[in-house]
Amino acid sequence: MEEKAYKLLALQEGITNRSAKDLIDKGLVYAQGRKVVMARALMDARTKFRVEKIQKIEKIFEDEHLIAVNKPAFLTSEQISKKFKTPLLHRLDKETSGVLLLVKDEKFQKEAIEAFKNHEVLKEYEAWVSGRVAEAFEIDKPILTIKRGKNLFSRVSKNGKEAVSYVEPLEIEGKFSKVKVTIKTGRTHQIRVHLADSGHAIVGDATYGGKNAKRVMLHAKKIELLGYSFEAPTPKDFKVF
């Protein structure tokens, strides 16, 4: 006997169908070691689900100009903005954790936007990728972003905008590597696209060919701009084994 995934989850967890569907849509539900991606997918009625918990939002710093937080995976940047009732200065993808900045005054916002435009902002990320990365390398390939319905998808293209990423090895575990990625530009899904194009797709990034995992293994480790410097500790569950 089969039933829709969200209805089975609702029964297992003792929650409403709507709440169950929301958990699946957020990417928090797993069955047989794989993420459940379609709430209405038909599944065996005996299926047992595992539900990941969203970590708490940690405030790193606040003054009269901005708020810096350590964003947990599975929350959108817009949800963080709504919680703090403060506009975003930049965005992180839903499954990306790490330093996220919100802006509190218009003058600082304008200065920060100019700093981003002029490539005067340092952004460092950590990622687990497929393959063994033993030496540093630079990726200088333009990226074109396309809108598909409500979603954005990017790819390397000669018709795209300038995008530069610098990759350094940090650790090797079997057939996987942990790398540091520094970006000079901030194109949509830049790190995900560049690493996939280099043959080292990010673990968990099914959109760009990554191996299955509970989340996209990408963490915004550090950001520096206009005299500020913020760093977010790597999550304890940020590992491939």
Side-chain angles (χ1 to χ4, degrees):
M1 181 178 174
E2 293 186 327
E3 182 55 274
K4 292 177 181 176
Y6 75 93
K7 290 186 177 181
L8 293 173
L9 178 65
L11 285 172
Q12 175 183 298
E13 297 295 313
I15 57 179
T16 65
N17 286 344
R18 183 173 180 177
S19 295
K21 186 176 183 301
D22 185 52
L23 287 172
I24 293 173
D25 290 343
K26 286 180 177 177
L28 294 169
V29 181
Y30 295 78
Q32 297 178 338
R34 300 187 68 86
K35 185 183 295 183
V36 179
V37 296
M38 292 181 61
R40 295 180 179 276
L42 292 176
M43 303 186 74
D44 190 298
R46 296 167 294 181
T47 300
K48 298 297 181 183
F49 298 94
R50 174 172 60 85
V51 181
E52 288 287 329
K53 292 183 178 180
I54 297 177
Q55 300 300 311
K56 291 183 179 180
I57 304 167
E58 297 178 6
K59 185 186 292 186
I60 299 172
F61 177 83
E62 180 177 4
D63 67 5
E64 69 273 21
H65 300 304
L66 55 75
I67 301 173
V69 302
N70 184 3
K71 173 192 168 303
F74 303 113
L75 283 181
T76 66
S77 296
E78 287 73 19
Q79 287 173 307
I80 303 289
S81 177
K82 185 176 180 180
K83 177 178 176 60
F84 285 92
K85 299 180 175 61
T86 309
L88 295 164
L89 186 56
H90 64 120
R91 286 173 172 78
L92 297 176
D93 295 335
K94 183 172 72 173
E95 292 191 24
T96 301
S97 56
V99 183
L100 180 70
L101 303 181
L102 303 100
V103 66
K104 294 176 66 176
D105 77 78
E106 190 173 340
K107 182 176 181 293
F108 181 84
Q109 183 179 36
K110 290 179 179 178
E111 292 175 352
I113 289 172
E114 282 300 308
F116 275 105
K117 286 181 179 178
N118 296 328
H119 307 323
E120 296 171 349
V121 179
L122 171 70
K123 288 175 282 184
E124 291 183 0
Y125 290 74
E126 289 183 351
W128 276 103
V129 302
S130 294
R132 298 171 67 86
V133 179
E135 296 182 358
F137 62 96
E138 185 177 83
I139 308 169
D140 185 354
K141 293 185 177 182
I143 289 176
L144 178 67
T145 300
I146 305 160
K147 190 171 185 179
R148 293 180 176 175
K150 295 181 180 180
N151 300 316
L152 294 175
F153 181 82
S154 297
R155 61 182 173 87
V156 168
S157 169
K158 63 180 181 180
N159 298 317
K161 295 181 179 179
E162 176 194 15
V164 181
S165 305
Y166 188 71
V167 184
E168 300 175 65
L170 293 175
E171 182 180 344
I172 295 176
E173 287 283 353
K175 297 180 180 179
F176 302 96
S177 299
K178 186 179 182 182
V179 298
K180 179 174 80 172
V181 186
T182 306
I183 58 174
K184 297 181 180 179
T185 52
R187 308 304 175 199
T188 300
H189 299 173
Q190 175 175 324
I191 296 173
R192 297 165 63 185
V193 172
H194 269 173
L195 287 172
D197 185 76
S198 73
H200 298 289
I202 297 177
V203 175
D205 191 1
T207 301
Y208 296 104
K211 300 285 187 181
N212 181 56
K214 64 181 180 180
R215 57 165 282 202
V216 176
M217 301 301 284
L218 182 63
H219 177 70
K221 182 73 173 179
K222 184 178 182 181
I223 187 167
E224 294 182 352
L225 82 164
L226 300 176
Y228 289 92
S229 179
F230 304 110
E231 189 167 332
T234 306
K236 293 180 180 178
D237 64 349
F238 193 75
K239 51 190 176 183
V240 289
F241 297 104

